[in-house]
Amino acid sequence: MRMHKHFATGAALTAAAAMILTACGGSPTSNGSGGNASGGPKGTVTAGVAYETTDYGPITTSALGMGANWQVLEGLYRFNMADYSVSPALAGGDPVKVSDTEYEVTLRDGAKFSDGSNVTAADVVSSYERATSEKSIYRQFFTFVDSVSAKDDKTVSIKLKHPFANLKERFVNVRVVPSSMDEDALKAKPIGSGPYKYDTITATEITAVPNENYTGNEPAKVATLKWQALKDDSARLAAAIGGTVDLMEAVPASAQDQLKGAGWNVDSKPGYGNPFMMFNTRKAPFDKPEVRRAFLKAIDRQKLINSALEGQAVEATSFLPEANPAYKKPSTDLSYNKDAATKLLSDAGVSGLEINLVTTDHPWVLALVPQIKSDLEALGVKVNHTQMASSDLYSNVTDVDSPTYDVVLAPGDPSVFGVDPGIIISWWNGDNVWTKKRDGWQESDPESFKKLQSIMDEAVQLDGDAAKAKWGEAQDLLAEQGVLYPLVFRNMITGSNPKKVDGFQAISSTGLQLLGVSAK
């Protein structure tokens, strides 16, 4: 069932959603007190999470902010993140087709925010406008939309520029909040219509409690949800073994046996998360695709997987992982080949190169650096390495006027937004901050950049084999250009204490899905 729904019909998606709701025991309720046999939410579930943030707003790109918001904020539709099936959230049902390019969505009966105010179609419209504003990186997910308007208080009208197959999946990413909330209030502590509401948020801990005004089909089952921000792997592991957390995000591969020995369940799921190499294409010699491809071919990815990642990853043989139905092995081969990499550099007239490799300070990313540095130095490239927090890397190195960096190695995982190829490919390669500032592709080679945008625009209007073929063209172009490229796709390893929690489902993206979880 996993992922193939993105090429399924609307009827198949509806059936899948119904199966998920049945499996989770979800049923409509008129209050937030449903969820277990004893008649109400009980106990506490504490998650040890690997990320920190100060942005919990509806257009956050933070792994922690998004993962916590899954329980608090709703879109018209929601993903079950365990398999990406789609079901109604704020919507009362599926979109009603008016024409090939117009749909109407009616809000569920009695929908209220946690402050007791009614959710209206106007709130959906203002939330859509926020998600598609100039400053929002979500904007690229909605290029197929012509307009979103309120037909009446409970009905949202969506007009499209052209027919589009994944309407529900994309509108998962419009998290609906009250029109009256300003940006600062939203980032600090947003109000939503989900089964939980935020109680307290500090730099190191978040708590959420049941939303007594919730009227949807995924009622709260836990009296208190807690997220403890434990960025350090060893601190997170110690908290798990010591019993102060019940769930553990991003379990290090080396710690699996230790955690299992302590009685925990450990799940490893193939994912979309990856370490990518990004080149400053405005700067010689990285303005040449041949040089970029040489760097990518110089890295022994299987060796990285076997050693630094302890087998918990697969080699990236294309921009999409092989699990994606739209996967195609590109015509440009970027697999490890030292001799071919050496020849590419020589043919490009590059020798005696000294570069600065800037990476994030995530422990697993740093574990990759020694071998990457060694592989590049085997080509005669001198590598100087600098590490820093992600926020510093983007704000001080890449998102500046005229960046001077050479190569960046950083983690990324857009699968929190969905796994249709339009989401995954456009995240890094659409008309957004990545290509405008970070890698400079729009400036350094506008012709090839525009070609990719044209391919993507055509692909989202196609279905089945025609769509797969067009997405294959995109993967060919991305491999040929090598502007930003994944090295491997990591497994997402998650731990849960079966003595403390019930109903937990591991997912393949960052974040922890806590809907349906109860405390023992």
Side-chain angles (χ1 to χ4, degrees):
M1 181 166 149
R2 176 176 168 78
M3 297 183 192
H4 291 282
K5 71 186 187 316
H6 296 287
F7 291 88
T9 65
L13 288 172
T14 303
M19 289 174 63
I20 290 298
L21 289 177
T22 302
C24 294
S27 60
T29 179
S30 60
N31 58 59
S33 63
N36 61 57
S38 64
K42 65 180 183 180
T44 299
V45 170
T46 303
V49 293
Y51 302 92
E52 301 171 342
T53 191
T54 56
D55 182 3
Y56 295 89
I59 57 171
T60 185
T61 57
S62 152
L64 175 55
M66 288 196 68
N69 280 346
W70 290 335
Q71 285 65 231
V72 176
L73 308 184
E74 295 183 295
L76 292 172
Y77 300 92
R78 77 165 66 85
F79 286 129
N80 179 326
M81 295 299 294
D83 64 4
Y84 290 97
S85 56
V86 185
S87 60
L90 262 175
D94 284 343
V96 175
K97 183 176 179 179
V98 179
S99 72
D100 285 346
T101 56
E102 185 175 358
Y103 292 82
E104 291 180 354
V105 178
T106 302
L107 303 184
R108 71 169 182 254
D109 290 339
K112 292 181 181 293
F113 291 113
S114 60
D115 65 358
S117 62
N118 292 327
V119 182
T120 68
D123 295 310
V124 178
V125 173
S126 65
S127 297
Y128 170 78
E129 290 171 347
R130 181 181 294 105
T132 56
S133 66
E134 286 286 350
K135 67 179 180 179
S136 172
I137 202 165
Y138 289 38
R139 178 185 179 93
Q140 66 199 298
F141 302 152
F142 299 97
T143 55
F144 65 95
V145 177
D146 184 47
S147 67
V148 175
S149 60
K151 181 178 179 181
D152 55 45
D153 280 352
K154 288 193 62 175
T155 310
V156 179
S157 175
I158 302 171
K159 294 183 180 180
L160 311 181
K161 295 175 183 176
H162 51 72
F164 186 80
N166 295 321
L167 182 68
K168 290 190 294 185
E169 286 91 338
R170 293 297 177 93
F171 272 83
V172 167
N173 294 306
V174 178
R175 308 286 174 181
V176 180
V177 294
S179 301
S180 58
M181 290 196 79
D182 65 32
E183 296 299 318
D184 290 341
L186 286 171
K187 287 184 177 182
K189 194 178 180 182
I191 290 171
S193 58
Y196 292 90
K197 63 181 180 181
Y198 287 122
D199 184 26
T200 60
I201 296 178
T202 70
T204 56
E205 186 174 271
I206 312 164
T207 62
V209 296
N211 169 14
E212 61 270 30
N213 293 302
Y214 181 64
T215 59
N217 54 22
E218 282 283 357
K221 295 185 176 183
V222 180
T224 306
L225 292 178
K226 289 186 179 182
W227 293 261
Q228 290 187 359
L230 301 166
K231 187 175 176 181
D232 182 76
D233 287 351
S234 58
R236 218 162 49 256
L237 180 63
I241 293 175
T244 59
V245 301
D246 311 312
L247 300 168
M248 181 178 172
E249 181 181 35
V251 175
S254 60
Q256 293 180 90
D257 290 342
Q258 190 177 355
L259 204 54
K260 289 176 183 176
W264 279 53
N265 294 332
V266 178
D267 293 291
S268 178
K269 296 194 70 171
Y272 284 70
N274 64 81
F276 60 83
M277 291 195 82
M278 176 172 68
F279 300 92
N280 185 354
T281 64
R282 304 176 189 88
K283 186 176 181 181
F286 302 110
D287 55 340
K288 297 180 179 180
E290 298 83 0
V291 174
R292 303 192 293 260
R293 293 200 299 267
F295 270 56
L296 293 166
K297 288 185 71 64
I299 297 167
D300 188 339
R301 304 176 193 192
Q302 193 57 53
K303 187 176 178 183
L304 280 179
I305 293 168
N306 295 342
S307 54
L309 296 171
E310 302 199 26
Q312 293 294 324
V314 295
E315 191 171 344
T317 56
S318 186
F319 201 87
L320 296 175
E322 292 186 36
N324 191 290
Y327 167 86
K328 181 200 178 216
K329 188 169 184 179
S331 51
T332 300
D333 182 9
L334 295 178
S335 61
Y336 172 63
N337 188 322
K338 179 189 170 185
D339 292 341
T342 301
K343 186 176 188 303
L344 280 168
L345 281 187
S346 176
D347 290 349
V350 175
S351 62
L353 188 60
E354 180 174 350
I355 66 138
N356 295 308
L357 175 66
V358 186
T359 76
T360 65
D361 62 356
H362 296 90
W364 70 269
V365 172
L366 294 177
L368 306 176
V369 172
Q371 187 201 310
I372 290 174
K373 185 176 178 180
S374 175
D375 286 345
L376 292 175
E377 289 179 341
L379 299 186
V381 178
K382 182 178 180 183
V383 179
N384 302 309
H385 172 230
T386 304
Q387 68 181 63
M388 59 185 69
S390 290
S391 57
D392 290 337
L393 187 153
Y394 289 118
S395 61
N396 299 326
V397 175
T398 66
D399 297 2
V400 298
D401 294 331
S402 302
T404 59
Y405 79 91
D406 295 317
V407 184
V408 160
L409 177 72
D413 185 3
S415 66
V416 288
F417 302 109
V419 293
D420 75 72
I423 288 279
I424 303 300
I425 292 176
S426 70
W427 175 253
W428 282 295
N429 300 286
D431 183 7
N432 59 47
V433 67
W434 289 102
T435 57
K436 285 179 180 175
K437 278 200 166 183
R438 293 177 179 173
D439 59 44
W441 189 6
Q442 291 192 49
E443 179 183 334
S444 63
D445 189 354
E447 184 177 340
S448 67
F449 174 77
K450 288 176 183 176
K451 182 179 179 182
L452 178 65
Q453 307 315 301
S454 177
I455 291 171
M456 291 196 292
D457 287 345
E458 291 179 51
V460 297
Q461 300 180 55
L462 301 172
D463 288 313
D465 290 344
K468 183 172 182 177
K470 187 59 67 172
W471 288 120
E473 290 180 29
Q475 290 166 85
D476 281 339
L477 181 59
L478 289 167
E480 175 192 312
Q481 292 295 317
V483 171
L484 181 154
Y485 216 78
L487 299 180
V488 302
F489 293 107
R490 297 176 73 211
N491 293 354
M492 185 58 68
I493 311 175
T494 309
S496 59
N497 186 342
K499 296 177 182 177
K500 297 289 191 68
V501 297
D502 193 25
F504 175 74
Q505 291 182 292
I507 64 176
S508 60
S509 76
T510 54
L512 296 170
Q513 179 173 261
L514 303 181
L515 295 178
V517 170
S518 58
K520 289 187 175 180

